[in-house]
């Protein structure tokens, strides 16, 4: 080979193991050998093999040939020079050469250190005796197999993953095997105590004996190993002693070369060591304080390293949640992430069936899955791992999550509604008429009532304002069971058609007035009623934002006069405070108005606004005029529309804040204010998962995280508390605004009038909402655009208009009887 | 009982499908004067029989009004609650003369004015 005439750069790889060769494979995929002339040194006299499968070779499940990854031909075909069985003795960074034990000296342009790890050895006498080996490479397996052919008794020191696989392999080869483990339970780094005990019980039944809490003091023997002496005096006879207490990164070469090392060879995200021409991958490295013993991150490192070697400087390694499983036939173990709750804020959910040998534990933190330990049935392991890696909000799956994917996903619609069985009889159901649960259930059962109308007639429950209709209906279902007749969901008594039918016709048949709708559906009352008129008015406004003229006579008083009527006929006034922010000037103006108009109550609302209660109707225009002068506009606290965007202070002030939640809240409110929706809509933006703005019980909530923004929908903190469903995680504020606009428009276009987002989503399912908003990007853009279009017609301050005299007849009484 | 007819101004002062509240002095119950979509006019004491809600703020459909507080529906012609609710509010007589609305106040109401 004429190296001088070769124009390619020289890449030398120290280590012929899994990580190093995977890097070469990835590099060849990218470069096809055009860029680098590659030389590989391997300490073992073999081609590259799958070290993970050593236990299968030991147990007789696989042959050595079956675990070879790359054959000699592969090296030859790819022009790779392999020096197998010739370990590298030194790296000379100044000369840029490596020198092997054989004396061979090879120059490099780029060097890859993939020296892997070496077995940890305890500091005890007897390590050097024949019959003592580690469990690390093919030579160790050969020793163990040789011993198994002529000897009977084996002791494995170490009850971790590797030790148990060695013990099982030797057991399969006919030896009697004892495992000595320093800790009280097996595999304590991967399994919690309960799973570790189940594992020990199962392996014990398979004939492996265990010495837990066992500290080895000495390997006894003269000419070869004869036994193991424990610190507590116990002695275990042995012909073969296998050390499997752990591994340590192999960093001697790197340290001698003056590279930065800690526990492992320190690498940056680009897999470079402290010398930019020298890379390192695999079990020998330490990345951000972490060292690696499982294969998945090694593959990822190999990919990143190859990309960097190939010139892609953006490639970066980030360690992910990892899972472990044990390769012992018939013993199914899986673990990933946290083994147990870290503190009282974490939740553990366990499922245990001792007679079937089944154990499952999941660990939840802030509504996310952070750990899973499975024993006996590991089918859902990868699903749990994916939930962890994707940081999925599993709050709504919580009750079913531990039962696995099939159960958790089978019931995707969250049950909504109160637990009637647990509700006391004197709990009030209908506030208007003061009807209790006990009275309703008594009437239903005593008089065999079967329909909502019957219940209304006999108890008056839900006969007035109708807010509790849904509750009464469900209570009927609870008390009457199968006898309950569901009422057909019509818009109101005027029509036989339901909401969806009517909404569809408005668009499809281009019905643009209430009269046209009523005629199309044969309304029983020519003018409709107080139930259908606000609904139709809204549906028409939503369908034809630029054509339909809002009918104030079909609006509930609050929306007609832009204030909230109170029980005594006075009104309350709530100015908008964008994102909950205010200023001294605004506060002065509010204080002045309260004094000037003798407003009796000033209260801070749950939505971070100030409520002026007890304003006389005649005073409203003057109150608004004064507030307008300070820049305060209507807060729409009376509207079936956007009410408030509640925020926490976020990254601007809070030491925990991850994003500018206040600023984002203001942007959302600026986008959404003035919109009319089927029912009121409340938003919130929390700056971190501590969620101080309570975003997860809002119609639309944003929870900021380091990586971006979690968007949640359909929450409600009202009569029936409902925690929101997770919609999506996005990276930018622009995406948040797009999702928010699209979500509100979908709700505007498809929910029934008077239906909050919580029951709407419970009705249509979050999967449907995701299909429309997450999976259908084009559809999302369209919804967002329609939302913004309709907003152009409504974003003017209704108070300003009325302060200037609009709708004056609403506010002043009819000219009084002067002569009366 | 003698009626005193009072002219309360042009019909056009009252919004169709709406109402205005009439103030007749400092004491006495307030009166709501309704105008339906078909220009029929009714006057009722402006208090819902349920919780005294101001009927003049309700949604007017046909010859009914829905109370803004709890949606009781009151028949404007009789003052009685419709449907399952029971109760009523007093009604006052109305005359329309040359486009102007006259409401008939009983002597008692007139005295209180």
């Amino acid at each position: 080979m004429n190296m001088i005439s070769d124009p390619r750069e020289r890449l030398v790889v120290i280590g012929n193991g899994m990580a190093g060769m995977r890097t070469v494979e990835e590099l060849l995929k990218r470069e096809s050998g055009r860029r680098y002339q590659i030389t590989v040194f391997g300490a073992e006299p073999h081609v590259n093999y799958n070290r993970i499968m050593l236990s299968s070779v030991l147990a007789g499940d696989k042959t050595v040939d079956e675990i070879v990854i790359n054959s000699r031909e592969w090296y030859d075909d790819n022009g790779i020079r392999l020096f197998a069985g010739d370990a590298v003795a030194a790296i000379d960074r100044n000369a840029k050469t490596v020198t092997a034990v054989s004396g061979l000296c090879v120059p490099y342009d780029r060097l890859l250190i993939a020296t892997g790890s070496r077995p940890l050895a305890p500091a005890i006498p007897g390590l050097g005796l024949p019959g003592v080996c580690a469990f690390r490479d093919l030579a160790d397996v050969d020793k163990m197999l040789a011993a198994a052919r002529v000897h009977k008794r084996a002791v494995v020191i170490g009850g971790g993953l590797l030790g148990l696989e060695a013990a099982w392999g030797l057991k399969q080869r006919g030896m009697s095997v004892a495992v000595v483990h320093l800790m009280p339970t097996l595999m304590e780094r991967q399994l919690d105590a309960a799973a570790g005990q189940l594992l020990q019980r199962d392996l014990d039944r398979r004939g492996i004996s265990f010495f837990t809490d066992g500290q080895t003091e000495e390997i006894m023997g003269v000419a070869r190993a004869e036994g193991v002496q424990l610190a507590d005096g116990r002695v275990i006879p042995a012909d073969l002693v296998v050390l499997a207490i752990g591994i340590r990164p192999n960093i001697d070469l790197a340290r001698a070369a003056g590279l930065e090392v800690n526990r492992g060879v320190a690498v940056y995200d680009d897999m470079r060591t402290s010398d930019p021409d020298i890379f390192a991958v695999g079990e020998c490295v330490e990345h951000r304080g972490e060292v690696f013993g499982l294969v998945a991150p090694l593959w990822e490192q190999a990919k990143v390293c190859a990309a960097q070697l190939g010139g892609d400087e953006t490639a970066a390694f980030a360690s992910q949640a990892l899972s472990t499983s044990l390769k012992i036939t018939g013993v199914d173990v899986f673990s990933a992430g946290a083994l147990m709750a870290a503190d009282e804020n974490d939740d553990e959910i366990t499922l245990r069936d001792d007679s079937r040998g089944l154990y499952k534990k999941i660990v939840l933190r802030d509504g996310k899955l952070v750990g899973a330990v499975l024993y006996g049935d590991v089918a859902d392991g990868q699903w749990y791992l994916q939930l962890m890696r994707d940081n999925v909000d599993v709050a709504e799956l919580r009750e079913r999550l531990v039962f696995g994917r099939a159960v958790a996903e089978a019931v995707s619609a969250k049950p909504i509604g109160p637990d009637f069985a647990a509700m006391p009889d004197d709990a009030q159901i209908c506030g208007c008429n003061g009807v209790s649960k006990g009275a309703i259930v008594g009437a239903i059962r005593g008089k065999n009532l079967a329909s909502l109308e019957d219940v209304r007639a006999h108890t008056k429950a839900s006969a007035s304002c109708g807010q509790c209709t849904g509750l009464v209906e469900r209570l009927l279902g609870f008390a009457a069971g199968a006898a309950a007749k569901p009422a057909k969901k019509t818009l109101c008594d005027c029509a036989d058609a339901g909401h969806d039918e009517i909404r569809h016709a408005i668009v499809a048949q281009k019905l643009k007035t209430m009269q046209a709708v009523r005629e199309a559906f044969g309304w029983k009352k020519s003018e409709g009623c107080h139930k259908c008129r606000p609904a139709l008015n809204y549906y028409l406004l939503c369908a034809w934002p630029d054509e339909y003229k809002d009918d104030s006579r079909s609006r509930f008083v609050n929306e007609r006069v832009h204030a909230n009527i109170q029980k005594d006929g006075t009104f309350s006034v709530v100015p908008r405070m964008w994102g909950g922010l205010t200023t001294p000037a605004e506060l002065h103006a509010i204080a002045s108005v309260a004094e000037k108009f003798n407003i009796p109550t000033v209260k801070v609302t749950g939505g971070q606004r100030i409520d002026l209660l007890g304003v006389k109707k005649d005073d409203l225009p003057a109150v608004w005029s004064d507030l307008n002068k300070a820049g305060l506009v209507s807060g729409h606290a009376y509207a079936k529309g956007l009410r408030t965007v509640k925020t926490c202070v976020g990254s601007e002030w809070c030491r925990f804040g991850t994003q500018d939640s206040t600023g984002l809240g203001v942007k959302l409110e600026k986008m959404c204010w003035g919109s009319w929706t089927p029912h009121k809509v409340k938003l919130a933006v929390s700056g971190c998962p501590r969620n101080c703005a309570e975003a997860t019980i809002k119609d639309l909530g944003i929870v900021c995280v380091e990586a971006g923004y979690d968007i949640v929908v359909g929450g409600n903190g009202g009569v029936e508390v409902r925690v929101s469903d997770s919609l999506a995680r996005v990276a930018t504020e622009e995406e948040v605004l797009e999702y928010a606009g699209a979500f509100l428009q979908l709700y505007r276009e498809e929910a029934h009038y008077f239906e909050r987002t919580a029951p709407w989503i419970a009705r249509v399912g979050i999967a449907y909402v995701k299909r429309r908003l997450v999976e259908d990007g084009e559809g999302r853009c369209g919804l967002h655009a329609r939302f913004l279009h309709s907003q152009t017609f409504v974003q003017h301050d209704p108070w300003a208009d009325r302060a200037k005299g609009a709708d004056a007849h609403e506010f002043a009484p009819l000219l009084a009887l002067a002569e009366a | 009982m003698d009626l005193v007819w009072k002219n309360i101004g042009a019909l056009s002062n009252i919004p169709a499908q709406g109402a205005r509240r009439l103030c007749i002095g400092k004491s006495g119950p307030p009166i709501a004067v309704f105008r339906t979509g078909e220009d029929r006019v009714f006057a009722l004491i402006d208090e819902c029989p349920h919780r005294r809600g101001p009927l003049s703020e309700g949604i007017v459909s046909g010859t009914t009004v829905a109370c803004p507080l709890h949606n009781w529906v009151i028949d404007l012609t009789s003052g009685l609650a419709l449907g399952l609710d029971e109760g009523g509010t007093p009604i006052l007589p109305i005359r329309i003369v040359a486009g102007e609305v006259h409401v008939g106040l009983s002597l008692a109401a007139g005295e209180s004015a």
Side-chain angles (χ1 to χ4, degrees):
Chain A
M1 194 175 297
N2 188 343
M3 282 165 52
I4 293 160
S5 68
D6 195 325
R8 296 178 297 175
E9 289 182 81
R10 293 159 301 191
L11 172 66
V12 173
V13 183
I14 305 176
N16 189 26
M18 297 174 72
M21 285 312 98
R22 177 59 79 101
T23 309
V24 170
E25 284 177 34
E26 294 279 355
L27 186 61
L28 291 173
K29 253 194 258 174
R30 301 177 65 96
E31 302 293 328
S32 310
R34 286 190 300 275
R35 180 160 176 171
Y36 291 103
Q37 178 203 13
I38 302 171
T39 304
V40 177
F41 285 91
E44 291 185 65
H46 311 286
V47 290
N48 171 237
Y49 63 88
N50 186 344
R51 199 178 300 279
I52 301 169
M53 289 296 168
L54 283 178
S55 55
S56 302
V57 174
L58 178 65
D61 297 333
K62 285 201 185 324
T63 65
V64 174
D65 287 346
E66 283 177 301
I67 69 165
V68 167
I69 299 175
N70 297 118
S71 64
R72 276 279 174 192
E73 289 73 39
W74 176 82
Y75 292 87
D76 295 342
D77 292 348
N78 288 292
I80 298 167
R81 290 197 297 167
L82 171 65
F83 298 103
D86 195 2
V88 170
I91 301 166
D92 185 337
R93 288 166 56 200
N94 291 322
K96 297 188 97 170
T97 60
V98 299
T99 304
V101 172
S102 66
L104 182 67
C105 180
V106 177
Y108 68 82
D109 298 304
R110 302 290 181 92
L111 182 65
L112 174 59
I113 299 177
T115 46
S117 59
R118 66 176 51 158
L120 269 177
I124 52 171
L127 285 180
L129 288 169
V132 178
C133 71
F135 182 34
R136 174 67 194 163
D137 55 28
L138 274 173
D140 294 328
V141 173
D142 283 342
K143 279 185 214 166
M144 291 159 77
L145 290 176
R149 279 191 285 273
V150 292
H151 296 291
K152 280 276 159 255
R153 299 164 305 181
V155 168
V156 176
I157 300 177
L161 193 67
L162 206 58
L164 294 178
E165 289 186 0
W168 178 244
L170 293 168
K171 180 75 195 161
Q172 292 293 93
R173 295 290 179 174
M175 298 188 86
S176 71
V177 182
V179 173
V180 177
H181 191 51
L182 190 60
M183 305 302 288
T185 62
L186 302 178
M187 282 179 71
E188 75 284 348
R189 297 194 32 206
Q190 291 89 19
L191 300 180
D192 63 351
Q197 281 157 6
L198 281 171
L199 176 63
Q200 182 174 341
R201 187 191 69 176
D202 278 359
L203 292 177
D204 189 63
R205 285 179 184 164
R206 288 162 177 243
I208 296 174
S209 18
F210 289 92
F211 295 81
T212 50
D213 290 313
Q215 179 162 11
T216 309
E217 199 164 69
E218 181 185 353
I219 298 171
M220 304 180 302
V222 183
R224 65 167 292 120
E226 290 168 18
V228 170
Q229 163 93 53
L230 301 188
D232 58 12
R234 288 179 287 180
V235 173
I236 314 160
D239 312 306
L240 172 70
V241 178
V242 179
L243 299 169
I245 60 170
I247 55 171
R248 178 161 50 193
N250 210 345
I251 60 172
D252 297 352
L253 268 181
R255 179 191 280 140
L259 295 174
E260 194 183 312
V261 295
N262 298 309
R263 277 191 296 164
V265 182
V267 292
Y268 298 97
D269 291 352
D270 58 4
M271 302 315 295
R272 279 187 167 85
T273 64
S274 53
D275 179 335
D277 286 329
I278 303 180
F279 294 76
V281 293
E283 289 182 340
C284 64
V285 309
E286 177 176 333
H287 172 262
R288 295 178 181 243
E290 192 180 1
V291 295
F292 304 87
L294 296 169
V295 75
L298 270 53
W299 290 164
E300 190 57 33
Q301 290 174 1
K303 199 179 281 180
V304 171
C305 185
Q308 288 282 350
L309 284 167
D312 174 5
E313 293 184 350
T314 63
F317 173 72
S319 118
Q320 275 195 312
L322 296 173
S323 67
T324 324
S325 54
L326 186 67
K327 286 177 297 301
I328 295 181
T329 314
V331 176
D332 294 317
V333 175
F334 173 94
S335 96
L339 302 183
M340 59 194 73
D343 55 43
E344 69 271 17
N345 295 321
D346 289 0
D347 289 322
E348 289 182 1
I349 300 174
T350 56
L351 172 69
R352 183 169 183 152
D353 182 341
D354 278 346
S355 59
R356 285 175 59 208
L358 206 65
Y359 175 77
K360 293 180 172 190
K361 172 156 95 180
I362 54 177
V363 185
L364 301 175
R365 183 175 302 153
D366 298 330
K368 309 286 172 65
L369 184 67
V370 296
V373 178
L374 309 179
Y375 190 87
D377 175 5
V378 298
D380 290 309
Q382 292 306 314
W383 180 61
Y384 288 129
L385 183 64
Q386 204 55 46
L387 291 176
M388 290 166 64
R389 287 188 168 168
D390 295 347
N391 205 22
V392 173
D393 187 332
V394 295
E396 72 161 294
L397 300 176
R398 181 190 171 103
E399 289 171 8
R400 305 181 298 276
L401 196 59
V402 76
F403 297 106
R405 183 176 197 162
V407 173
E409 290 188 345
V411 205
S412 64
K414 187 180 309 190
I416 182 164
D419 179 359
F420 287 119
M423 185 185 279
D425 276 351
D426 59 1
Q428 186 157 298
I429 301 287
C430 175
C432 297
N433 296 301
V435 191
S436 68
K437 173 211 159 191
I440 297 172
V441 171
I444 292 170
R445 292 190 175 146
K447 295 171 181 162
N448 291 322
L449 306 183
S451 74
L452 180 65
E453 286 308 314
D454 288 347
V455 176
R456 271 193 192 139
H458 285 90
T459 67
K460 299 195 64 72
S462 83
S464 294
C465 83
Q467 287 267 12
C468 62
T469 302
L471 206 55
V472 175
E473 263 182 313
R474 265 174 272 146
L475 184 53
L476 175 64
F478 164 78
K485 292 187 211 119
K488 182 171 191 270
K489 300 272 187 225
T490 59
L491 193 64
C492 68
D493 293 341
C494 302
D496 292 327
H499 290 262
D500 293 330
E501 253 176 284
I502 290 166
R503 295 206 77 169
H504 181 261
I506 285 172
V507 177
Q509 300 174 31
K510 295 197 163 37
L511 306 175
K512 296 188 179 179
T513 64
M514 278 197 259
Q515 197 51 35
V517 177
R518 287 194 289 255
E519 281 168 13
F521 284 92
W523 236 249
K524 287 168 199 154
K525 293 179 198 159
S526 62
E527 277 184 20
C529 70
H530 67 280
K531 287 179 185 160
C532 60
R533 279 171 52 197
L536 290 185
N537 189 52
Y538 167 73
Y539 290 157
L540 289 161
L541 201 60
C542 178
W544 314 110
D546 41 1
E547 292 180 58
Y548 178 72
K549 188 175 175 305
D550 187 52
D551 177 27
S552 70
R553 303 317 317 176
S554 293
R555 284 199 178 271
F556 184 62
V557 56
N558 291 357
E559 293 183 345
R560 198 174 70 236
V561 303
H562 295 273
N564 291 56
I565 196 164
Q566 302 298 317
K567 60 184 280 190
D568 63 351
T570 65
F571 287 80
S572 77
V573 167
V574 182
R576 191 165 290 286
M577 289 176 176
W578 307 95
L581 289 172
T582 186
T583 63
E586 288 181 350
L587 294 172
H588 276 299
I590 290 168
S592 301
V593 158
E595 285 178 347
K596 179 173 167 186
F597 295 93
N598 291 315
I599 294 170
T601 301
V602 181
K603 182 177 184 314
V604 176
T605 73
Q608 302 182 333
R609 306 296 139 100
I610 291 176
D611 196 352
L612 302 165
L613 290 135
V615 183
K616 290 191 265 316
K617 196 181 181 193
D618 318 19
D619 288 339
L620 286 173
V623 166
W624 294 334
S625 175
D626 281 8
L627 292 172
N628 274 167
K629 282 175 199 150
L632 289 161
V633 296
S634 167
H636 292 87
Y638 44 80
K640 291 183 181 36
L642 177 84
R643 292 282 176 92
T644 57
V645 181
K646 187 172 180 175
T647 68
C648 70
V649 291
S651 57
E652 195 186 353
W653 292 99
C654 178
R655 65 204 164 98
F656 298 119
T658 63
Q659 310 281 357
D660 178 16
S661 48
T662 322
L664 178 57
V666 171
K667 284 178 194 161
L668 279 166
E669 193 156 353
K670 294 272 183 190
M671 179 177 82
C672 301
W673 75 274
S675 58
W676 296 108
T677 45
H679 207 310
K680 61 185 171 186
V681 168
K682 299 178 181 181
L683 272 59
V685 186
S686 281
C688 79
R690 285 167 190 78
N691 195 12
C692 295
E694 296 157 352
T696 48
I697 51 164
K698 294 290 183 275
D699 295 284
L700 173 70
I702 313 297
V703 180
C704 300
V705 292
E706 286 291 349
Y709 307 87
D710 282 335
I711 304 174
V712 298
V713 295
N716 194 314
V719 179
E720 297 170 17
V721 178
R722 181 182 194 269
V723 175
S724 54
D725 290 300
S726 176
L727 180 67
R729 168 173 291 184
V730 298
T732 64
E733 289 192 340
E734 288 65 40
E735 290 169 280
V736 171
L737 293 172
E738 180 179 312
Y739 270 88
F743 172 75
L744 288 179
Q745 187 65 13
L746 186 67
Y747 171 58
R748 296 182 76 232
E749 290 179 2
E750 301 196 355
H752 298 168
Y753 188 71
F754 221 61
E755 185 176 45
R756 291 289 298 270
T757 60
W760 170 58
I761 289 179
R763 180 165 64 80
V764 301
I766 185 65
Y768 169 76
V769 178
K770 280 186 176 171
R771 224 166 27 245
R772 294 289 306 273
L773 298 180
V774 183
E775 291 158 30
D776 179 4
E778 218 170 291
R780 180 178 70 242
C781 288
L783 284 163
H784 180 232
R786 291 204 290 286
F787 181 73
L788 294 185
H789 174 69
S790 81
Q791 285 297 84
T792 60
F793 301 99
V794 295
Q795 289 199 327
H796 50 83
D797 178 25
W799 287 359
D801 297 342
R802 283 154 186 80
K804 287 178 199 137
D807 286 353
H809 60 83
E810 292 288 356
F811 304 101
L814 199 57
L815 257 196
L817 303 171
E819 71 274 33
Chain B
M1 189 159 41
D2 288 340
L3 279 178
V4 182
W5 289 98
K6 295 295 179 191
N7 184 343
I8 56 170
L11 175 65
S12 58
N13 286 336
I14 307 169
Q17 288 188 310
R20 298 286 296 273
R21 183 178 258 215
L22 195 57
C23 286
I24 46 171
K26 287 184 167 38
S27 60
I31 295 167
V33 184
F34 294 88
R35 174 182 171 191
T36 70
E38 294 174 339
D39 282 349
R40 295 180 69 188
V41 181
F42 301 94
L44 285 76
I45 298 299
D46 195 14
E47 284 179 353
C48 180
H50 177 221
R51 299 264 173 95
R52 302 180 64 196
L55 296 174
S56 56
E57 303 288 8
I59 292 177
V60 178
S61 299
T63 53
T64 64
V65 63
C67 175
L69 293 195
H70 305 98
N71 275 334
W72 277 37
V73 179
I74 307 298
D75 181 355
L76 296 176
T77 64
S78 66
L80 294 176
L82 294 176
L84 301 161
D85 298 314
E86 286 168 23
T89 190
I91 58 172
L92 290 81
I94 287 284
R95 279 200 315 220
I96 297 179
V97 181
E100 308 226 307
V101 180
H102 296 250
V103 59
L105 303 171
S106 69
L107 205 54
E111 279 172 354
S112 76

